[in-house]
Amino acid sequence: MTRAQRVLTISAISATLYFLALFAILPLPFVSEETAEKVLPVLPWWLLVSFGAYAMWTLGWNVMTIRDCPEAYHELMNEISSAKNDLRARGVSVD
């Protein structure tokens, strides 16, 4: 089973269970009906906001802890200088 099939299967099962609970077809154990009526309609938005916060935290953390790569810097500078030399050989003025 590929990752996409697994995600699709889990998403379909989760959505089915959510809609069954939302429309009170499937009762939720240990949760009163009154609480379920208040919480279930906003659950997708809560999950979306939580995922967004997690994504922003992960992005921010990775930007803060970025590693320096001096070898890659020197390799890139060599490629830039060779590209400039190639362009100069072809008659293009390069700064």
Side-chain angles (χ1 to χ4, degrees):
M1 180 178 269
T2 65
R3 178 178 247 170
Q5 289 174 331
R6 191 175 320 130
V7 168
L8 186 64
T9 303
I10 291 171
S11 298
I13 292 171
S14 299
T16 302
L17 289 175
Y18 170 74
F19 284 117
L20 288 174
L22 181 65
F23 296 126
I25 297 170
L26 180 69
L28 293 175
F30 309 115
V31 177
S32 68
E33 190 174 323
E34 180 181 302
T35 304
E37 287 176 0
K38 291 179 182 177
V39 173
L40 285 175
V42 296
L43 188 64
W45 294 109
W46 181 80
L47 291 173
L48 182 66
V49 169
S50 297
F51 175 73
Y54 168 75
M56 291 301 289
W57 168 257
T58 303
L59 182 66
W61 181 257
N62 288 335
V63 166
M64 285 177 34
T65 59
I66 193 165
R67 290 176 271 138
D68 290 334
C69 301
E71 301 87 21
Y73 169 77
H74 294 298
E75 181 182 346
L76 181 61
M77 293 308 289
N78 288 336
E79 289 178 8
I80 289 172
S81 65
S82 67
K84 284 182 178 181
N85 292 336
D86 184 47
L87 288 172
R88 285 187 190 113
R90 294 178 186 219
V92 177
S93 66
V94 179
D95 295 335

